[in-house]
Amino acid sequence: MFKFHLNKKIFWFVALLIIIANSILTIYIYKQKQELVQTRAFAKGETLKNYFISMRYVYHQQFLKSGLDINDSTIGFLPAHASTLISDKFEKLSKDNVTIRNVTDRPRNPKNMADAFELKAIDFFKKNPNTKVHIQKIKQNSKEILHYTAPLIIEKYCIQCHGKKEEVLPSIQERYDTAYDYHIGDIRGVTSIKIPVDELEKAAIGSFYKTTFFTWFTTLLLLTIVYFAIKKLTVQDVEQKIVLQEEVRKKTADLEEQKNELQIANENQRHLFSILRTVADCNQILITAKNIDELISDTAVSMHSNTTFASVKILVVENGELIVKASIGLDEDFNVLPLELDVFENNKFVMIKNFDENLPSECKEKMEKYGISEIYLTPLRKKHHAKKALGVMNICTTEQKGLSKEEQDMINELAGDVGFAINSFHQKEAINQLSFYDPLTYLPNQRLFEQHLSQALSDSDKSLKYGAILFLDFDNFKDINDLMGNDTGDFVLKESAQRLISKAQTASLAARHSGDKFSILLENLSPKEEEAAVIAENFAKEIQETLKEPFVIEKKSLNLTCSIGIVLFLDHKVNPDKLSNQAEYAMRSAKNEGKNTIRFYNESLQHITKSRLQMLLELKKAFVQKEFVLYYQKQFDKDEKVLGVEALIRWIHPLKGMISPAEFIPLAEEYGVIKDIGRFVLESVTDQLVLWRNDEIKKMWRISVNVSPIQFKEEGFVERLKALIDSKNIDPAKIRVEITEGVFIENEEEVTQKIEALKSFGISLSIDDFGTGYSNLKYLKNLQIDELKIDQSFIFGLNKNNSEKTIVKTIILMGKEFNLEVIAEGVETKEQFELLKELGCDFFQGYLFAKPCPIEDLESNSCK
C-alpha cells in the first residue's frame, strides 16, 4: 500500500509539473500573439508601400514620356492627383479598413495634406534621415491603429515637377506657384498606411485558440493514459510486494538472529585478539628487557593496559623467599597472600570464581568491592614441566564471563615465557658474577677493573682531565691469616669491601685485585696535574681513615693500616697493565718507607704533596708569629676621586718573603684555616675604621672586605660581625662585604637570609669576580646586592677582544638595570679607563690609579 500511495503521489507531482509547464507555454504563446500582430502589420505595410510606390513611379514615368501638358482635362493624370484617386478607391474596396496615401506638408493637391500623425512622421524622418520605416500604435476615431510610414525622398526625376521654378515643366510653371525648390535627397512627405489592429488580432487570437486547445487536449489525454497505466502496474506490484513482505520479514528475522550470533562471535574474536596482542607486546618486552626488574615491571604494565586484566600481580623468588615484584591495578598489594604461596609451593594454577563457597575472606572482600568476576593464579616456571616454580602471576578480571579457555591458555603461555626469561637472567647473572666479580667480596675483579680502566683512558683523552689509580694493600695482613685463621681474614676482606663501597661513592670503580690488595679508579679529577694529585691524595687519606677503624670479630678488635700507591693518567695510548703495575710499584714504595703511607709513582708529584704539607704547617704558625698583614688598594669614581679602599691579605714569611694569596688561600680554604684568616681581616679592618674617625678625608672612606664562601657559610658569621661592629661603635655603612657567586650554589635559602640580615644592619654587599662563576640573574633580581665587581680577566683584553668588550658592556647594562653600582678591577691603562667610561662604568680599581700597599704607605708615591 505504501508503494501504491507513493506512485500516486509521484504521478500527481509529475502531472502538476507538466500542467505548470504547459501553462507557462500558453502564456508565452499569448504574449507572442502581440508580437505576431506587429510582425503582420509590418509585413502588410511593407508590401502595400512597395506596391503603391512602384505604381506611382511607373505612372509618373509614363506621364512624363507622354509629353502631355497639364490642364483641367489632363490634371487627373498627374501623380499627385492620380495617387489620391487610387487611395480613395483602395479605401472603399478594402474589407479590413486599411488605408494607404502619399501625403506631404506642402501639397499641390489639398487632399494630399498630411494629418497630425503624418506630420509627426514627416518630422521624425527629417530628424532621422537614415531611418527607412517607422511604425507605431495610434488611436484614431476611438480605434487602435498600427500606423506604418515610409519617407518620400526627392529623386532626380522628381525635380521636373517639384524643383526650382525654372527647372520644372512649362505647364507646371504656368499652373502652380507653390511647392517648389526641392533638392535631390529632401524628404517631401511620407507613404502613410493605417492598419486597424482589431482585424489583425482576430486572426492572431484565432490561431492562438487553436494551438492552445490542441496542446491542452494532447497533454490531458497523455496524462490520463499514463495515470491508468501506472494504476494498473502499481496494483500488480503491490500485490506482489505483500507476498514478498512476508517472505522478507521471515528472512529478516533469520538474518537478525545470525547477525547477533556473528556479533557475539566477532566480539569474542576481537577480545581474544586484544589478549593475543598483549601477549605479543609482553614477548617483545622479554626480548628487550635489560634486567629482571625491568622485565617484570614492563610486563605488568603492558598486561594491565588491556582492560581484561583489572589487576596484575607478579611474585618472584629472591634469596629463597617469595616476594612481590609488581602489583598494578585495584588495591596494589605487596603482601604475599596464602593463596599465592599455595600456588607457588604446589606448582599448580588456581582459578577462583566469585561464587565459590570456599573463597578466602580477603579475596571475597576484594571481589565484592571491585566487582571482580574471576581470579586466575598460575606459577612461573623455567620449563613447562619444571618441578619447582620461580614465581606466581596473579590476574583479576571484571569481565562478566570471566576468562575463557582460550584466554587462560594465552596467559599460561605468557607465564611460561616470563618464567623462561627470568631463568635466563639468573643464568646470565651467575655467569657474569663468576666472570667479572670476586666471589668473596662481591666487588668487581681485576678483569672488570681493566675494562673500566681502558674506557676511562679514552674518556680522559677526550675531556683532557686527569684520572688516577689507587692501589691499596693492607700492612701485615698475613699475620691475621697465620694467627687467627683464614676465616678471620676473609671476614676482614669482606668488611673492608663494604667500607670501600660506602666510602668510595665518588670513585668510578673499586675492585679486588687479589689477596688483600684492592684497586680504586678515579676519573675526571682536574685538567691540572697538581690539582688532580691533591684530589687523589685526599681521597687516599679518607680511605686510610676508613680502614683504620677497628674490625670487630667475636668480641675482639683488630686494628689494621694500609699502604696506597697512586698513579695519574691522561693519555689513552698508555697500556692499562702498565698503569696498574706502576700503581702497585708506588704502593710497594710506600711500604718500604714505613707502611701506612701514600706514595705517587711520579716523584715530582710526591714532592708537591710534601710541599703542600709543609706550607700547611707554616700557615698555622703564621698566626702565632703575626706574619699576616693587610694591604689596601684605593677605589675611584670616573672623576678619579677616592671613594674607599679594598683590604687585601698578605703573608710576609720570615724566610720566603712575600707569599702570594693565590698560593696559600686555596690551601687555607681546603683545611679550614681560612676562617682564622677571615676573623683576622675583620678585626684589622674595624680597628682601622676606628683610627680614621678623626681623619677629615679618610673618615668618609668605605672599606671593602673579601669574605670566603667557607667563612660566609659558617654558623654565626652574621652575629659575630654585628657584635664586632657594635663593640667598636663603627658605622656599618663603612664596611662593604665582597662575596663570590659560588656562595649561591649550595643552600641558597640560608645565604639569602644572611644577606638580608647584613643589609638590615646597614652593611652593603658586593658580588666579586662577577661573570666568572655562577652568573645566575635570580639573586640580582631578588637579593639586596649593592655592587657588581667586573673581574680583571675581562678588563685585560678589553681593547683587544670584542667578546671581552661585549661581556663588560653586558655586565654594566645589567647592573644599571638592577640599580647596582658597577666597579671594574684590574684597570691598568688609560685606554682601558676611557673605554670603560664610554661603556657606562662609574667606579674603578687598578694599578693605573693606585697599587695595594701597607696602611702607612697609603698616601705615599710608592702606592701610585
Side-chain angles (χ1 to χ4, degrees):
M1 293 300 292
F2 174 76
K3 183 70 176 181
F4 176 70
H5 291 305
L6 178 62
N7 287 340
K8 285 180 66 179
K9 289 180 180 178
I10 292 173
F11 167 77
W12 286 115
F13 178 73
V14 172
L16 179 62
L17 290 178
I18 292 174
I19 291 170
I20 291 172
N22 209 29
S23 299
I24 294 172
L25 179 63
T26 301
I27 294 170
Y28 175 76
I29 293 173
Y30 179 78
K31 288 185 177 180
Q32 289 295 105
K33 182 262 302 182
Q34 299 297 328
E35 296 180 4
L36 181 62
V37 170
Q38 290 271 16
T39 303
R40 286 183 176 181
F42 179 80
K44 194 167 189 177
E46 281 286 299
T47 302
L48 290 174
K49 178 202 76 169
N50 291 335
Y51 180 78
F52 193 68
I53 293 299
S54 299
M55 182 190 70
R56 189 176 185 281
Y57 174 80
V58 172
Y59 196 90
H60 195 175
Q61 294 297 321
Q62 292 299 319
F63 175 76
L64 292 175
K65 290 178 181 179
S66 68
L68 295 174
D69 291 330
I70 301 300
N71 53 44
D72 291 339
S73 300
T74 61
I75 195 168
F77 293 106
L78 193 68
H81 291 270
S83 63
T84 303
L85 294 173
I86 294 170
S87 296
D88 291 342
K89 188 64 177 178
F90 181 81
E91 184 176 0
K92 290 178 181 180
L93 295 175
S94 177
K95 295 181 179 181
D96 49 7
N97 298 320
V98 176
T99 64
I100 179 169
R101 291 180 179 279
N102 281 342
V103 296
T104 181
D105 54 349
R106 297 167 62 190
R108 280 204 177 100
N109 184 354
K111 291 184 177 182
N112 292 335
M113 181 64 190
D115 62 17
F117 298 109
E118 292 163 342
L119 289 173
K120 287 182 180 180
I122 293 169
D123 186 59
F124 171 80
F125 286 118
K126 287 180 179 180
K127 293 179 181 179
N128 301 279
N130 295 324
T131 304
K132 303 299 180 183
V133 173
H134 181 61
I135 186 168
Q136 63 178 349
K137 185 181 282 190
I138 64 174
K139 199 165 188 178
Q140 192 175 39
N141 299 326
S142 303
K143 291 183 178 181
E144 287 188 344
I145 294 172
L146 284 173
H147 188 199
Y148 176 95
T149 55
L152 293 174
I153 300 172
I154 296 296
E155 298 183 32
K156 187 175 181 180
Y157 72 89
C158 299
I159 297 300
Q160 297 180 46
C161 294
H162 300 287
K164 293 180 180 181
K165 190 170 183 179
E166 59 271 17
E167 295 177 339
V168 301
L169 298 173
S171 58
I172 296 296
Q173 293 179 11
E174 293 173 359
R175 190 173 181 86
Y176 296 103
D177 295 325
T178 60
Y180 295 101
D181 299 331
Y182 283 110
H183 300 85
I184 295 173
D186 287 348
I187 294 176
R188 184 169 63 83
V190 294
T191 299
S192 173
I193 302 172
K194 295 180 179 178
I195 306 168
V197 174
D198 55 348
E199 294 298 328
L200 293 174
E201 286 185 341
K202 285 179 182 179
I205 201 70
S207 175
F208 167 74
Y209 285 150
K210 290 178 182 180
T211 302
T212 302
F213 174 78
F214 178 75
T215 56
W216 278 100
F217 177 78
T218 303
T219 299
L220 293 174
L221 180 62
L222 289 174
L223 287 174
T224 302
I225 294 171
V226 170
Y227 174 79
F228 284 104
I230 290 176
K231 183 176 181 182
K232 184 175 182 179
L233 292 173
T234 303
V235 170
Q236 292 176 353
D237 185 57
V238 168
E239 290 173 350
Q240 292 177 356
K241 293 291 184 183
I242 292 172
V243 175
L244 289 173
Q245 276 181 352
E246 183 61 26
E247 293 182 7
V248 168
R249 188 188 63 77
K250 294 179 180 179
K251 291 289 184 181
T252 302
D254 294 339
L255 289 173
E256 188 67 27
E257 185 177 353
Q258 293 177 14
K259 176 186 173 183
N260 293 335
E261 292 175 355
L262 285 173
Q263 284 181 340
I264 295 172
N266 190 36
E267 184 64 30
N268 291 335
Q269 193 69 24
R270 283 202 302 268
H271 192 65
L272 286 174
F273 180 75
S274 72
I275 301 292
L276 181 61
R277 186 172 55 195
T278 300
V279 171
D281 291 342
C282 292
N283 283 330
Q284 185 64 30
I285 292 170
L286 302 183
I287 296 171
T288 59
K290 297 177 182 178
N291 51 58
I292 292 178
D293 289 340
E294 181 181 337
L295 164 73
I296 294 174
S297 175
D298 290 354
T299 300
V301 170
S302 180
M303 292 183 69
H304 184 252
S305 65
N306 191 313
T307 55
T308 302
F309 307 127
S311 72
V312 178
K313 187 177 179 183
I314 300 177
L315 303 88
V316 176
V317 173
E318 284 189 1
N319 299 323
E321 182 181 0
L322 188 65
I323 63 171
V324 179
K325 298 290 287 185
S327 179
I328 300 178
L330 305 181
D331 290 333
E332 295 184 355
D333 183 11
F334 285 88
N335 295 319
V336 180
L337 302 177
L339 191 61
E340 294 164 341
L341 191 60
D342 184 59
V343 170
F344 171 72
E345 291 176 348
N346 293 321
N347 196 20
K348 293 182 179 180
F349 79 90
V350 170
M351 183 174 62
I352 300 176
K353 297 284 187 179
N354 55 7
F355 48 77
D356 284 354
E357 295 180 359
N358 300 324
L359 190 65
S361 59
E362 64 270 15
C363 292
K364 187 175 182 179
E365 292 175 2
K366 186 174 182 179
M367 295 178 82
E368 290 177 352
K369 180 179 179 181
Y370 294 106
I372 297 172
S373 59
E374 185 174 299
I375 299 176
Y376 188 78
L377 299 97
T378 183
L380 304 176
R381 295 184 281 245
K382 62 181 179 181
K383 292 181 181 179
H384 180 67
H385 299 291
K387 295 181 178 179
K388 293 184 65 176
L390 299 174
V392 176
M393 183 180 290
N394 181 341
I395 295 172
C396 296
T397 183
T398 55
E399 297 289 330
Q400 187 174 3
K401 295 181 179 179
L403 298 171
S404 66
K405 179 64 169 61
E406 293 86 353
E407 291 169 344
Q408 292 176 15
D409 291 341
M410 291 182 186
I411 295 171
N412 289 334
E413 180 182 349
L414 177 60
D417 293 340
V418 172
F420 178 80
I422 291 173
N423 185 62
S424 297
F425 275 114
H426 286 163
Q427 291 177 342
K428 289 179 182 178
E429 289 176 0
I431 293 170
N432 186 63
Q433 193 70 25
L434 291 173
S435 301
F436 296 104
Y437 290 88
D438 175 52
L440 178 64
T441 62
Y442 301 111
L443 287 177
N445 58 21
Q446 185 64 15
R447 180 182 178 186
L448 183 57
F449 182 84
E450 289 175 355
Q451 290 183 4
H452 278 268
L453 177 57
S454 297
Q455 183 61 45
L457 287 168
S458 178
D459 294 342
S460 175
D461 187 55
K462 294 175 183 177
S463 66
L464 299 179
K465 289 185 178 181
Y466 281 89
I469 298 175
L470 278 62
F471 197 97
L472 180 154
D473 185 25
F474 282 102
D475 300 324
N476 304 318
F477 186 80
K478 186 174 179 297
D479 294 342
I480 295 176
N481 285 330
D482 292 344
L483 297 175
M484 305 184 69
N486 290 333
D487 291 342
T488 302
D490 290 346
F491 170 81
V492 171
L493 291 176
K494 287 191 285 187
E495 177 66 21
S496 299
Q498 293 303 311
R499 294 185 187 183
L500 287 176
I501 291 172
S502 63
K503 192 65 180 177
Q505 292 179 354
T506 56
S508 299
L509 189 69
R512 185 186 181 195
H513 186 274
S514 62
D516 58 330
K517 298 176 177 64
F518 297 86
S519 299
I520 300 174
L521 177 63
L522 303 178
E523 294 185 77
N524 297 318
L525 299 180
S526 173
K528 297 180 180 179
E529 186 178 29
E530 293 181 4
E531 289 184 1
V534 172
I535 296 171
E537 183 185 29
N538 290 338
F539 189 85
K541 289 178 180 179
E542 292 178 8
I543 295 297
Q544 281 186 325
E545 292 300 319
T546 299
L547 297 178
K548 279 183 181 180
E549 295 178 9
F551 293 88
V552 179
I553 180 171
E554 297 180 356
K555 298 182 180 181
K556 295 181 180 180
S557 295
L558 296 176
N559 295 293
L560 296 175
T561 61
C562 66
S563 298
I564 300 177
I566 304 175
V567 64
L568 300 183
F569 60 83
L570 183 65
D571 190 353
H572 71 285
K573 297 178 183 178
V574 179
N575 186 283
D577 289 338
K578 183 178 179 180
L579 281 176
S580 296
N581 292 336
Q582 289 174 347
E584 185 175 5
Y585 180 83
M587 179 274 296
R588 296 189 184 281
S589 298
K591 283 187 176 291
N592 293 334
E593 293 184 23
K595 301 180 181 179
N596 191 28
T597 56
I598 300 170
R599 289 293 180 267
F600 282 88
Y601 179 77
N602 189 322
E603 289 296 331
S604 62
L605 294 178
Q606 188 65 39
H607 176 71
I608 290 172
T609 59
K610 289 181 179 179
S611 298
R612 282 169 51 83
L613 181 59
Q614 182 63 34
M615 179 174 283
L616 179 62
L617 295 175
E618 293 179 354
L619 188 60
K620 292 180 178 179
K621 293 179 181 178
F623 289 103
V624 180
Q625 303 297 331
K626 297 182 179 180
E627 296 172 6
F628 288 107
V629 296
L630 285 186
Y631 275 39
Y632 295 89
Q633 186 175 25
K634 295 178 182 178
Q635 298 174 332
F636 297 81
D637 64 11
K638 59 184 176 180
D639 297 323
E640 300 189 37
K641 177 184 176 182
V642 179
L643 300 175
V645 296
E646 180 182 3
L648 302 168
I649 189 72
R650 295 293 186 265
W651 181 9
I652 311 298
H653 193 277
L655 299 177
K656 301 176 182 178
M658 179 78 75
I659 298 179
S660 170
E663 293 185 47
F664 68 84
I665 290 296
L667 193 64
E669 289 182 334
E670 183 178 344
Y671 288 96
V673 183
I674 193 67
K675 297 177 183 178
D676 297 324
I677 294 176
R679 293 190 189 100
F680 165 76
V681 172
L682 290 174
E683 284 281 356
S684 302
V685 165
T686 51
D687 288 341
Q688 193 60 53
L689 288 171
V690 172
L691 295 175
W692 283 351
R693 283 176 184 166
N694 298 322
D695 190 302
E696 289 300 321
I697 297 176
K698 296 184 180 65
K699 70 179 181 181
M700 305 300 295
W701 289 1
R702 176 187 65 216
I703 301 181
S704 296
V705 182
N706 284 289
V707 175
S708 166
I710 296 173
Q711 182 184 7
F712 190 82
K713 294 177 182 179
E714 186 181 9
E715 187 176 353
F717 167 75
V718 175
E719 289 72 19
R720 283 194 296 273
L721 181 55
K722 287 181 180 180
L724 180 64
I725 293 173
D726 287 339
S727 66
K728 297 180 182 181
N729 194 23
I730 298 171
D731 180 6
K734 298 300 180 184
I735 295 180
R736 173 161 289 181
V737 172
E738 292 188 5
I739 55 177
T740 60
E741 296 173 287
V743 300
F744 296 98
I745 296 177
E746 296 179 5
N747 204 342
E748 188 171 321
E749 183 179 353
E750 180 183 339
V751 172
T752 301
Q753 292 174 355
K754 288 187 176 181
I755 289 176
E756 291 175 352
L758 292 173
K759 283 293 295 180
S760 63
F761 185 61
I763 296 172
S764 61
L765 288 101
S766 173
I767 302 297
D768 193 18
D769 300 337
F770 185 79
T772 62
Y774 194 44
S775 298
N776 189 338
L777 299 183
K778 180 180 177 182
Y779 61 75
L780 295 184
K781 177 182 177 182
N782 299 328
L783 299 183
Q784 302 176 34
I785 303 299
D786 298 279
E787 179 185 74
L788 297 181
K789 198 167 190 179
I790 305 175
D791 187 66
Q792 59 184 351
S793 61
F794 299 125
I795 307 302
F796 178 75
L798 185 60
N799 50 4
K800 301 176 183 178
N801 192 321
N802 285 333
S803 61
E804 305 286 9
K805 182 178 179 181
T806 301
I807 293 172
V808 171
K809 183 178 180 180
T810 302
I811 294 173
I812 293 171
L813 291 174
M814 193 186 305
K816 291 185 179 297
E817 183 68 24
F818 289 104
N819 296 318
L820 304 177
E821 297 176 10
V822 180
I823 183 170
E825 65 175 346
V827 182
E828 297 183 355
T829 67
K830 192 70 174 177
E831 291 80 5
Q832 293 171 349
F833 178 49
E834 294 299 330
L835 184 53
L836 284 166
K837 286 197 293 183
E838 288 180 16
L839 295 176
C841 187
D842 295 323
F843 303 101
F844 311 88
Q845 180 180 339
Y847 276 37
L848 175 64
F849 308 102
K851 299 177 182 178
C853 61
I855 190 63
E856 59 270 14
D857 297 333
L858 196 58
E859 297 302 322
S860 67
N861 291 329
S862 61
C863 283
K864 294 182 180 179

